[in-house]
Amino acid sequence: MEAETLEASTRDIISWFDRVSTNAGVVQRETLRRIIELNHGVEYLKKWLGDIDVKEMDECEIESLYTSLVPLVSHADLEPYIQRIADGNTSPILTQHPITTLSLSSGTTEGRQKFVPFTSHSSQTTLQIFRLAAAYRSRVYPTRDGGRILEFIYSSKSFKTKGGLTAGTATTHYYASEEFKIKQEKTKAFTCSPPEVISSGDYKQTTYCHLLLGLFFRDQVEFITSTFAYSVVQAFASFEELWKEICKDIKEGNVSSRITIPKVRKAVLDIVKPNPILASKIEAVCGDLQGSDWYGLIPKLWPNAKYVYSIMTGSMQPYLKKLRHHAGSLPLVSAEYGSTESWIGVNLDPSLPPENVTFTVMPTFSYFEFIPLYRQNQDSSSGSVDFIEDEPVPLSQVKVGQEYEIVLTTFTGLYRYRLGDVVEVSGFHNGTPKLNFICRRKLILAVNIDKNTEKDLQLVVERGSELLSNHRAELVDFTSSAELVRQPGHYVIYWEIKGEVEERVLFECCREMDASFVDHGYVVSRRTNSIGPLELCIVERGTFKKILDHFIGKGAALSQFKTPRCTSDRMLLRILDLCTVKRVRSTAYD
Ligand code: AMP
């Protein structure tokens, strides 16, 4: 009965998605109708639509009326409305259903955290997309029913807003929701760690316990996961330091004194029992692994794991190399595409390498529009516009090969909200587009007429750091800033490196990076010295951990953490500068 239920539920969700994706255009218009009907009369919609009642209108009319009367907005435009909700105003401002929870998102701005409404719809769609993705994964990589998942997941501390609403990251709300439990039951795969560990609020203690319990349940672990790949990389970097202590705990059925939170200690102690045989097995494996720089750590420690599953695209791509090192021969499955504002697309082809993964848009989750983006003529001298935009089009009208910015209308009260992500349509699944994630829209590095996105920077760093591997060193993490105080302004790239590298090599890396920025504005400015030579700063080991701590201290959660790839944040620059141990300047244009 149980096994049949899993099979049936897998079949059901796949055939549901086949249905809605086949009729995606129609489903999108129905979704828009539902959102507007559900929120008929709310202050924000009234402002733009007046008293128009859409009940008597057909879906095409609603769509054209809505897109002609309601303006495109960014988070800043909606902030005053969201702030009133946060302050306790319970009148229908953005939604008819009162909003009791707010999420913190980093989606479109950096540095400053933003509130986004969170409702039960948010958790329900999370459950639905996870179940759908699990169904497709199980076709390629079947797992055993009742197995375990080693999940590196972390809740942040929730707090109350002035008006008494609960605020925290979206993942925090999800882990605390009923849907998180339902997902485990529906997919017949159970997380290794109890809720007390996930919600401890101290990411170091949580990581330790995840590792300890993951190893305690070693033979049952079917796959390893985290929201963003960074957390898996971070957890195994800690494991290299912690493994002896973890083995001791498994041997004695104990938990290290570094776990100081009483309810976490108790929850873990209720689970671990002394297992000296398992402990010595793990010790032996770790002894061997140390000799091979921990290559293939995951399959060697978790022999029944079928894959590693996490977001590996976009700003997570720089961690792929390390992840592949730890995963050895185990497949890497790139996880879904979404944001605190809404889930967007699902990975229906888990066997694809992360570099080629596409995300199939979920046409029932939100109403999506797409702003066509055209890369600007490379020799334009306008420093402020990165792309030329055309009029937004609905999902049914997107074209393969075209780049777009995504616009969302959600069940949670965001209307024609620019998400700030750039995607490219790579094809269709039935009638719904498949997207490549390209980058965040915002330019991150610019001094004058130069324009570089996160993706541009990533490629440059990739080129520069290739040289490190010839010297048995590796890049741990990186960020950058545009130094504008001293003239001429120039880019500064900060690297944390594992291994010793001679200064001569660093000069070469720096030169290579400087020469690899292909943006015409940059090249011209460098030639004329209106942008100075690129500066490479090497920071001491552990600096990016300090940066992580800084963000966690400000309420971020490890589950959603993304290293800022460019910063003008004074505190962050202070940490980076204090930790800089070596500086070199490029000679590329001398
Ligand atoms: P947040 O809401 O703060 O967790 O961040 C959401 C943002 O993370 C999105 O707007 C994207 O820029 C990025 N993101 C989420 N999922 C993916 C993915 N699968 N691939 C690449 N970037 C992603």
Side-chain angles (χ1 to χ4, degrees):
M1 174 68 189
E2 286 287 283
E4 194 196 333
T5 310
L6 177 62
E7 251 185 69
S9 117
T10 301
R11 237 190 355 257
D12 280 359
I13 193 141
I14 290 182
S15 68
W16 164 79
F17 191 64
D18 268 344
R19 233 178 14 254
V20 295
S21 59
T22 302
N23 303 310
V26 175
V27 170
Q28 273 284 277
R29 286 192 286 275
E30 285 169 1
T31 303
L32 179 63
R33 173 196 276 283
R34 279 185 58 216
I35 294 174
I36 297 179
E37 281 186 359
L38 278 172
N39 295 309
H40 176 69
V42 303
E43 182 185 321
Y44 187 79
L45 283 181
K46 236 178 166 168
K47 176 172 172 188
W48 302 107
L49 297 178
D51 284 324
I52 298 174
D53 190 354
V54 297
K55 275 222 166 60
E56 302 303 316
M57 296 167 74
D58 78 33
E59 269 94 18
C60 292
E61 273 180 284
I62 298 177
E63 188 175 46
S64 80
L65 184 86
Y66 176 75
T67 53
S68 59
L69 294 182
V70 178
L72 292 172
V73 291
S74 62
H75 187 273
D77 300 307
L78 293 184
E79 203 159 327
Y81 298 89
I82 299 176
Q83 194 57 52
R84 280 165 55 211
I85 297 171
D87 290 346
N89 187 330
T90 53
S91 64
I93 298 175
L94 292 172
T95 55
Q96 278 295 351
H97 201 74
I99 288 166
T100 55
T101 311
L102 292 171
S103 293
L104 289 166
S105 155
S106 65
T108 50
T109 48
E110 33 174 77
R112 204 163 51 91
Q113 290 182 317
K114 303 169 308 162
F115 284 135
V116 174
F118 181 97
T119 66
S120 58
H121 186 268
S122 321
S123 290
Q124 281 158 19
T125 52
T126 304
L127 170 62
Q128 213 164 355
I129 198 168
F130 282 4
R131 278 186 58 205
L132 183 64
Y136 276 91
R137 283 201 313 281
S138 72
R139 286 177 157 186
V140 185
Y141 306 114
T143 52
R144 287 177 300 183
D145 289 2
R148 294 220 177 235
I149 319 169
L150 169 52
E151 291 192 277
F152 293 102
I153 52 179
Y154 305 79
S155 295
S156 63
K157 285 202 180 82
S158 294
F159 60 93
K160 294 278 179 203
T161 66
K162 191 175 140 200
L165 280 77
T166 306
T169 56
T171 41
T172 302
H173 301 321
Y174 172 65
Y175 300 139
S177 72
E178 217 25 54
E179 281 79 5
F180 179 59
K181 282 183 217 137
I182 300 173
K183 190 223 47 169
Q184 302 186 53
E185 278 145 25
K186 290 267 186 202
T187 59
K188 301 268 178 282
F190 300 86
T191 195
C192 289
S193 298
E196 292 82 353
V197 168
I198 299 166
S199 65
S200 89
D202 177 322
Y203 81 89
K204 289 179 189 146
Q205 297 196 30
T206 298
T207 301
Y208 186 94
C209 296
H210 281 329
L211 288 164
L212 170 61
L213 293 166
L215 283 168
F216 184 74
F217 292 120
R218 175 186 198 224
D219 291 335
Q220 299 170 47
V221 169
E222 292 291 309
F223 64 97
I224 319 278
T225 184
S226 69
T227 311
F228 287 97
Y230 172 83
S231 310
V232 178
V233 170
Q234 190 268 347
F236 291 124
S238 309
F239 182 75
E240 293 178 17
E241 324 261 294
L242 295 169
W243 65 276
K244 286 190 179 141
E245 218 169 309
I246 292 176
C247 287
K248 185 167 173 284
D249 281 350
I250 293 177
K251 187 173 165 192
E252 296 167 0
N254 204 347
V255 57
S256 153
S257 59
R258 65 171 76 231
I259 308 304
T260 55
I261 304 166
K263 69 174 187 354
V264 178
R265 286 191 69 81
K266 178 172 180 325
V268 177
L269 281 170
D270 283 347
I271 298 171
V272 281
K273 302 284 168 280
N275 193 338
I277 297 174
L278 176 62
S280 31
K281 255 194 220 163
I282 297 169
E283 250 164 13
V285 175
C286 289
D288 287 348
L289 281 168
Q290 259 187 323
S292 59
D293 194 22
W294 302 92
Y295 178 80
L297 169 159
I298 301 175
K300 287 194 179 120
L301 285 173
W302 288 277
N304 295 320
K306 313 291 186 295
Y307 53 86
V308 180
Y309 170 58
S310 190
I311 293 175
M312 298 168 191
T313 36
S315 61
M316 293 299 126
Q317 239 178 22
Y319 304 109
L320 264 181
K321 199 169 168 195
K322 191 72 192 177
L323 203 57
R324 285 210 162 98
H325 182 82
H326 280 153
S329 56
L330 217 55
L332 298 183
V333 181
S334 199
E336 284 41 71
Y337 170 32
S339 63
T340 304
E341 290 84 346
S342 169
W343 280 105
I344 297 157
V346 57
N347 175 7
L348 297 184
D349 200 347
S351 57
L352 285 179
E355 288 84 351
N356 300 339
V357 74
T358 62
F359 303 102
T360 304
V361 177
M362 303 288 299
T364 55
F365 280 12
S366 289
Y367 174 73
F368 299 97
E369 290 172 81
F370 297 83
I371 302 175
L373 299 176
Y374 301 94
R375 292 197 181 244
Q376 216 186 13
N377 233 345
Q378 287 289 313
D379 59 7
S380 158
S381 60
S382 150
S384 60
V385 188
D386 47 338
F387 292 100
I388 294 175
E389 297 181 359
D390 208 341
E391 288 301 309
V393 296
L395 173 144
S396 55
Q397 283 174 30
V398 297
K399 299 214 162 39
V400 174
Q402 174 64 48
E403 288 186 332
Y404 298 94
E405 180 185 344
I406 294 186
V407 175
L408 300 169
T409 294
T410 69
F411 283 91
T412 55
L414 306 175
Y415 303 97
R416 306 197 82 207
Y417 172 102
R418 302 175 75 129
L419 185 62
D421 283 349
V422 180
V423 296
E424 180 195 40
V425 174
S426 68
F428 283 87
H429 172 85
N430 298 325
T432 194
K434 295 201 287 190
L435 309 176
N436 275 326
F437 180 88
I438 305 291
C439 59
R440 295 274 181 97
R441 166 104 193 240
K442 221 167 156 327
L443 288 178
I444 62 164
L445 270 176
V447 169
N448 45 48
I449 61 163
D450 50 314
K451 310 170 205 55
N452 283 291
T453 63
E454 180 165 336
K455 182 81 192 168
D456 299 322
L457 173 69
Q458 212 168 293
L459 290 172
V460 161
V461 169
E462 225 171 270
R463 288 286 296 275
S465 60
E466 269 167 21
L467 300 168
L468 293 178
S469 41
N470 305 334
H471 298 269
R472 298 182 61 79
E474 64 180 273
L475 185 65
V476 175
D477 221 331
F478 67 93
T479 187
S480 68
S481 71
E483 155 72 64
L484 303 172
V485 180
R486 277 174 290 143
Q487 286 302 320
H490 68 280
Y491 297 174
V492 185
I493 297 183
Y494 298 88
W495 278 9
E496 180 175 326
I497 302 178
K498 187 175 170 193
E500 285 304 314
V501 189
E502 292 166 42
E503 194 156 309
R504 163 184 77 75
V505 178
L506 296 176
F507 269 112
E508 262 179 73
C509 296
C510 183
R511 210 186 119 84
E512 181 66 31
M513 286 199 286
D514 202 8
S516 301
F517 280 102
V518 289
D519 165 54
H520 193 63
Y522 186 77
V523 174
V524 168
S525 304
R526 283 289 289 118
R527 280 196 197 130
T528 54
N529 203 34
S530 59
I531 294 183
L534 177 87
E535 187 176 351
L536 171 61
C537 293
I538 307 300
V539 294
E540 62 192 21
R541 287 302 306 277
T543 303
F544 280 84
K545 215 152 185 190
K546 281 190 193 153
I547 291 176
L548 170 68
D549 286 337
H550 168 72
F551 278 98
I552 302 274
K554 288 195 338 191
L558 188 56
S559 277
Q560 275 173 254
F561 179 74
K562 305 164 202 76
T563 297
R565 294 297 177 210
C566 181
T567 185
S568 51
D569 179 307
R570 288 205 0 238
M571 267 309 289
L572 220 64
L573 287 173
R574 225 178 102 77
I575 300 176
L576 289 162
D577 283 331
L578 285 174
C579 295
T580 295
V581 288
K582 208 168 273 171
R583 287 174 197 272
V584 294
R585 296 271 262 182
S586 156
T587 53
Y589 287 85
D590 284 2

